[in-house]
Amino acid sequence: MRIIPYGRQSISIQDVSEVSKSLREEKITTGNQVIKFENKINKFLRCKYSTACNSGTSAIFLSMQAIRLKKNDVVIMPAINFIAAYNVANLFGARIYLADVNKNTGQMSPQDVEDCCKKFSLKKIKAIIVMYNGGYPENAEKFIKLKKKYKSFIIEDACHALGSTYNIKKISYKVGSCKHSDISTFSLHPLKTITSGEGGIVTTNNHKIAKKIKSFRSHGILRKKKRHWQYDIIYHGFNYRLSDINCALGLSQLSKISSFLKERKKIYKKYILELKNFNSNLIIPEYSKTIKPSFHLFIINILFEKLNRNKNHFIKYLLDHKILAQQHYIPIYKFSIFEDKSYKLSASERYYKTSVSLPIYVGLNKKKHDKVIRTIKNYFKNNK
Ligand SMILES: Cc1ncc(COP(=O)(O)O)c(C=O)c1O
């Protein structure tokens, strides 16, 4: 058996055929597939405007540019996060504060943001970056109250959460609908809910923001309507475009998103059934009953100190059995690029010590899934 990754893309004959058709179109970039993809995303997420771009990182860049993030502006984000949002905010010269997270889910709550503001005496925040670790949109509707209090923008780094929903009073909201945020960003990297090869999406309901983002995506060019050779540069933009070839794949994948989500849910449920009450040193994070996640990751927490082991030992053991687990994520303050070497957050530390992501993807068949579960159970039997 080949190595079992923690995630991978699912590509069908339909995907291959749609990509191949797109190659024969008149335009293979800035063409119809891009418009079609963005329209379908608007409909799927129930948002007004979406912009396809060439990665989740560029989606974050475009959002930060759109809110005019400037030098010394305050940005708050969770310490447990992929590095993209941190690096982008840093490039804009923002003062970045990392908030603590829930010790089991790795997610920042509004209270964590408040605690961070108190600790650093922050009165005004330019942007709060929310991240739904693993695709579980905890507290998605609750950050909006901080927007008012701190006169802040709320940007959702929803790169894990395409297809996730949350309920308020029996009304269901899609992450990306921007009903409780200003901007949402998504990644279409092969490991995500759907893929376009590489790719990203920015969504918003704000016309001004959307217009800027569309312009930034393509060098900040404004062309005269009936004189295409006449143009002005109205913003400092770059090339963040997504080609029609990528959008054709994105469209084909989007048409299958419900079945992708169902399959991920099935895998999640089997893990719960097998592992939930299996051992008191293995904890599965509890999520709110009002959310429907994308099940991007399956995260567990293991109390390694009770087993006299550590996370490296477990991940290495799985690798020896041809299972590639992962950690999402190492707290940002631990990286060499982070200047304040005294930064330490207790729940982030705890999460980092205990959390491991297990394989979950469309195509993880019964044989492979059973092997993962069996191998984990054996670990606990051998390390009492
Ligand atoms: C939470 C999060 N944000 C941003 C990104 C960046 O997305 P991309 O790799 O498409 O640039 C990722 C990618 O893994 C991510 O997981």
Side-chain angles (χ1 to χ4, degrees), residues 238-268:
F238 300 98
N239 176 1
Y240 287 129
R241 295 187 299 263
L242 189 64
S243 81
D244 283 59
I245 309 164
N246 297 97
C247 286
L249 178 56
L251 271 164
S252 176
Q253 291 256 308
L254 188 59
S255 72
K256 297 180 288 184
I257 195 165
S258 323
S259 69
F260 284 176
L261 293 169
K262 259 190 214 151
E263 198 157 334
R264 282 178 174 276
K265 185 174 179 180
K266 215 168 107 193
I267 295 166
Y268 175 91

Side-chain angles (χ1 to χ4, degrees), residues 55-58 60 81-82 84 131 157 159-160 187-189 192 198-199 329:
S55 71
T57 308
S58 23
I60 293 169
N81 197 356
F82 185 66
M131 204 279 273
D157 177 347
C159 285
H160 293 185
S187 165
L188 302 173
H189 177 273
K192 303 300 194 292
E198 293 277 2
Y329 291 95

Side-chain angles (χ1 to χ4, degrees), residues 149-250:
K149 182 169 174 187
Y150 294 102
K151 299 182 177 43
S152 159
F153 286 98
I154 307 288
I155 299 178
E156 293 171 294
D157 177 347
C159 285
H160 293 185
L162 186 67
S164 300
T165 62
Y166 54 97
N167 271 38
I168 312 168
K169 292 183 189 154
K170 292 192 180 155
I171 299 174
S172 163
Y173 297 89
K174 280 242 161 71
V175 171
S177 65
C178 294
K179 284 287 186 298
H180 304 93
S181 68
D182 296 286
I183 304 175
S184 302
T185 62
F186 296 93
S187 165
L188 302 173
H189 177 273
L191 300 189
K192 303 300 194 292
T193 320
I194 65 164
T195 188
S196 59
E198 293 277 2
I201 306 164
V202 192
T203 66
T204 183
N205 294 325
N206 182 313
H207 179 68
K208 273 191 188 159
I209 287 180
K211 230 177 134 186
K212 276 189 210 160
I213 287 173
K214 286 244 155 55
S215 179
F216 297 150
R217 173 178 64 175
S218 200
H219 306 287
I221 292 181
L222 181 66
R223 287 189 189 276
K224 286 250 161 69
K225 278 244 163 79
K226 285 183 182 158
R227 300 172 133 229
H228 62 271
W229 63 99
Q230 293 290 3
Y231 64 90
D232 189 11
I233 304 296
I234 57 168
Y235 298 116
H236 298 280
F238 300 98
N239 176 1
Y240 287 129
R241 295 187 299 263
L242 189 64
S243 81
D244 283 59
I245 309 164
N246 297 97
C247 286
L249 178 56

Side-chain angles (χ1 to χ4, degrees), residues 320-384:
D320 290 343
H321 288 82
K322 293 197 172 342
I323 297 165
L324 201 144
Q326 191 45 283
Q327 49 183 350
H328 296 93
Y329 291 95
I330 300 171
I332 288 176
Y333 55 78
K334 288 195 183 287
F335 295 130
S336 309
I337 53 164
F338 197 82
E339 279 172 16
D340 182 354
K341 300 297 174 203
S342 66
Y343 219 96
K344 207 171 186 183
L345 299 167
S346 60
S348 298
E349 288 290 315
R350 187 81 204 126
Y351 173 81
Y352 174 50
K353 240 186 186 165
T354 63
S355 61
V356 181
S357 298
L358 301 180
I360 184 164
Y361 57 88
V362 175
L364 179 70
N365 61 26
K366 183 177 181 311
K367 193 172 166 201
K368 289 177 186 160
H369 200 188
D370 285 345
K371 178 183 166 175
V372 175
I373 292 165
R374 192 172 58 245
T375 311
I376 291 169
K377 287 187 172 176
N378 283 340
Y379 184 81
F380 282 85
K381 279 181 200 141
N382 300 334
N383 293 283
K384 280 186 186 155

